[in-house]
């Protein structure tokens, strides 16, 4: 496109889809917009589900990206509780679960990702949960509390956030991780060690190298997690947080290029010029690393929404970005910028014992990524250094008495 009167159909009313709908209007798109979402509520933020909201520190309304009225006021035809079932590229139409068909001039796939289930006995028992949707979070919140034991399968960011929230709600928490360290897929060893010790200080118990073989139950409800070797960890509930799989079946079935997610270009355009893909479902280029990859973060969902809305509304593409994300656990704010590709050195700035430090991942004297704990200047300046590709002095970077401004100068 850009056809200012064209009909834009967005499949998936999550963070990316909801943002794209709002941005299209903001960028002046005057044609009809249809936003199709299988969940019963308007687009909302997922990060609080494992943090403030789970702990009871935020109400349901505060999750919404926009109030429900926003969509009607902006002539966005929001269709909740409706699933897109297939795409007919020849006819430029989408079949929906209510039996209707909707035609498009431009189509945006924003179907996100779903939690990966464990194909093991007992996985369907009551009390074995995931945390992906507001509905999942309601169930979890009603289950966790004083006197209960929560088993968390998977020591990634979501698992650790659930563990911290579980402790805040007064539950006993045990985290079961298959690898021999936490955050093995996403963070360096220094960070894994730090988080493990911090959680232990808050009473979380860890089982590392723990291969979960089955969930045990009584009367249809989970009572424990069985590890390889036969040991059983008793629990009242279990949350499985072992990663997410992109909802890319609609794209595959209609013949779009799909790799680890739907393949798009810098305008979020798929192999069909009238179809875009954004957010967790997209496998997108990241020019600063000369690579394609799929990301699961709010900033990535916002960036994809900007790219697709700009292309459809005839605006120039947004300037390149550094991918980033965050995680909140207890009083820790972790901010991560970039990805640790092709790294040959890891440098720690500050003292982990103070819970205020940053880990820089370097390729030669270029910063590839930074993980900053309670250290906003390290995060912000690190992000700038990743984008500018300016070399740094490692000695100055490692010295916390030299300010980050001076390091970056
Ligand atoms: P989603 O927000 O998942 O939305 C996709 C929507 O599409 C869903 O509503 C889904 O039901 C719908 N859908 C799927 N298939 C269809 C279909 N066929 N028809 C109609 N609708 C369909 N990111 C951070 O940056 N920081 C954090 O701290 C953080 N914490 C998180 C905590 C939790 C518990 C979770 C689950 C995620 C967290 N994330 C965090 C990740 C972030 O929320 C996601 O990256 C972001 O929501 C992706 O947006 P999206 O629109 O691509 O997908």
């Amino acid at each position: 496109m850009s056809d200012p009167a064209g009909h834009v159909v967005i499949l998936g009313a999550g963070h990316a889809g909801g943002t794209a709908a709002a941005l299209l209007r903001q960028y002046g798109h005057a044609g009809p917009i249809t936003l199709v979402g299988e969940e019963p509520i308007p687009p909302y933020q997922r990060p609080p589900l494992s943090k403030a909201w789970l702990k009871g520190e935020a109400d349901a309304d505060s999750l919404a990206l926009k109030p429900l009225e926003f969509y009607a006021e902006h002539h966005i035809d929001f269709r909740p509780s409706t699933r897109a079932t297939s795409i007919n590229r020849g006819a430029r139409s989408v079949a929906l679960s209510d039996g209707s068909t909707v035609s498009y001039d431009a189509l945006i796939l924003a179907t996100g990702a779903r939690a990966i289930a464990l194909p093991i006995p007992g996985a369907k028992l009551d009390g074995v949960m995931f945390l992906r949707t507001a509905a999942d979070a309601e169930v979890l919140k009603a289950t966790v509390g004083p006197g209960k034991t929560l088993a968390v399968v998977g020591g990634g960011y979501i698992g650790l956030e659930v563990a911290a929230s579980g402790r805040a709600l007064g539950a006993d928490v045990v985290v079961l991780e298959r690898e021999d360290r936490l955050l093995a897929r996403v963070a360096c060893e220094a960070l894994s060690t730090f988080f493990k010790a911090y959680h232990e200080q808050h009473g979380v118990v860890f089982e590392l190298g723990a291969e979960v073989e089955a969930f045990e139950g009584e009367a249809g409800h989970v009572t424990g997690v069985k590890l390889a070797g036969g040991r059983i960890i008793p629990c009242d509930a279990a949350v499985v947080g072992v990663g997410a799989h992109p909802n890319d079946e609609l794209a595959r079935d209609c013949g779009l290029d799909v790799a680890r997610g739907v393949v798009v270009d810098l305008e979020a355009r798929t192999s069909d010029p009238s179809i875009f893909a954004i957010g967790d479902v997209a496998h997108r280029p990241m020019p600063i690393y000369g690579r394609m990859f799929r990301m699961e973060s709010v900033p990535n969902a916002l960036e994809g929404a900007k790219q697709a809305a700009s292309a459809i509304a005839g605006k120039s593409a947004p300037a390149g970005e550094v991918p980033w994300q965050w995680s909140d656990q207890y009083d820790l704010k972790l901010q991560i910028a970039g990805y640790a590709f092709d790294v040959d050195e890891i440098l720690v700035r500050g003292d982990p014992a103070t819970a205020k430090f940053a880990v820089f991942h370097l390729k030669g004297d270029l910063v590839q990524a930074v993980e900053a704990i309670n250290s906003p200047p390290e995060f912000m300046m690190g992000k700038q250094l990743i984008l500018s590709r300016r070399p740094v002095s490692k000695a100055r970077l490692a010295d916390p008495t030299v300010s980050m401004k001076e390091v970056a100068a």
Side-chain angles (χ1 to χ4, degrees):
M1 233 158 114
S2 86
D3 168 4
H7 184 187
V8 182
V9 174
I10 304 170
L11 304 183
H15 217 124
T19 305
L23 280 179
L24 278 164
R25 286 290 180 244
Q26 192 183 318
Y27 293 172
H29 181 76
I33 299 174
T34 303
L35 176 61
V36 179
E38 68 179 339
E39 291 186 69
I41 54 175
Y44 61 93
Q45 323 172 50
R46 289 174 209 276
L49 298 181
S50 50
K51 312 178 183 78
W53 189 87
L54 186 58
K55 289 188 282 179
E57 292 169 2
D59 63 18
D61 286 347
S62 68
L63 293 182
L65 292 188
K66 305 272 185 200
L68 181 60
E69 311 77 74
F70 172 89
Y71 300 94
E73 282 165 15
H74 290 79
H75 307 289
I76 295 166
D77 177 12
F78 169 48
R79 304 208 194 163
S81 303
T82 308
R83 187 173 170 76
T85 52
S86 66
I87 298 167
N88 182 334
R89 287 168 55 197
R92 290 199 178 189
S93 67
V94 181
L96 304 180
S97 54
D98 60 8
S100 66
T101 299
V102 57
S103 300
Y104 64 83
D105 296 296
L107 180 67
I108 302 179
L109 301 177
T111 46
R114 59 180 176 273
I116 294 174
L118 292 173
I120 56 172
K124 295 245 167 14
L125 286 166
D126 279 352
V128 177
M129 297 173 271
F130 299 99
L131 184 53
R132 180 76 204 177
T133 64
D136 294 339
E138 287 281 358
V139 177
L140 178 58
K141 195 172 173 180
T143 311
V144 178
K148 303 277 184 194
T149 299
L150 175 68
V152 178
V153 181
Y157 285 121
I158 289 186
L160 293 183
E161 288 174 2
V162 168
S165 300
R167 288 298 296 142
L169 288 168
D172 290 335
V173 179
V174 53
V175 175
L176 310 168
E177 167 57 52
R178 188 176 57 181
E179 305 297 327
D180 58 6
R181 68 178 176 95
L182 301 174
L183 302 168
R185 276 186 308 135
V186 288
C188 65
E189 200 144 0
L191 219 61
S192 304
T193 307
F194 169 78
F195 273 109
K196 180 165 180 283
Y198 210 82
H199 276 269
E200 282 170 344
Q201 283 165 24
H202 287 78
V204 175
V205 173
F206 290 96
E207 295 276 350
L208 300 182
E211 186 78 46
V212 172
E213 226 173 52
F215 293 101
E216 301 282 304
E218 265 173 40
H221 196 281
V222 70
T223 54
V225 185
K226 186 174 173 193
L227 304 183
R231 195 153 62 93
I232 292 173
I233 310 290
C235 67
D236 301 290
V239 174
V240 178
V242 295
H245 182 84
N247 292 320
D248 56 16
E249 290 78 4
L250 285 171
R252 261 178 217 283
D253 292 349
C254 73
L256 296 177
D257 285 354
V258 175
R260 287 182 213 92
V262 186
V263 176
V264 295
D265 65 13
L266 283 170
E267 291 189 323
R269 216 180 279 271
T270 67
S271 50
D272 178 332
S274 57
I275 305 183
F276 299 78
I278 61 178
D280 284 10
V281 78
H283 185 68
R284 54 174 286 227
M286 188 50 68
I288 49 170
Y289 297 113
R291 286 175 191 248
M292 302 276 297
F293 51 99
R294 190 177 76 78
M295 285 169 270
E296 291 172 10
S297 73
V298 165
N300 174 61
L302 301 181
E303 188 67 17
K306 271 190 229 163
Q307 290 174 339
S310 301
I312 292 169
K315 273 173 66 91
S316 44
E321 102 278 25
V322 174
W324 69 276
Q325 56 195 302
W326 74 94
S327 176
D328 298 330
Q329 298 163 42
Y330 312 106
D331 54 350
L332 302 175
K333 176 134 204 109
L334 167 68
Q335 294 169 294
I336 306 167
Y339 279 81
F341 291 126
D342 309 322
V343 163
D344 46 42
E345 193 174 342
I346 289 177
L347 192 151
V348 178
R349 178 180 160 95
D351 180 3
T354 62
K356 187 169 153 49
F357 68 104
V359 182
F360 285 86
H361 298 257
L362 300 163
K363 176 184 175 187
D365 46 16
L366 296 178
V367 177
Q368 296 289 83
V370 57
E371 295 154 325
I373 304 266
N374 294 337
S375 301
E378 276 69 11
F379 168 70
M380 281 179 313
M381 299 310 291
K383 201 163 158 223
Q384 281 183 23
L385 284 166
I386 296 167
L387 188 63
S388 69
R389 312 313 289 144
R390 213 162 353 133
V392 284
S393 151
K394 292 179 196 171
R396 286 159 72 83
L397 187 61
D399 181 355
T401 65
V402 180
S403 78
M404 278 306 295
K405 260 196 183 145
E406 290 169 81
V407 172

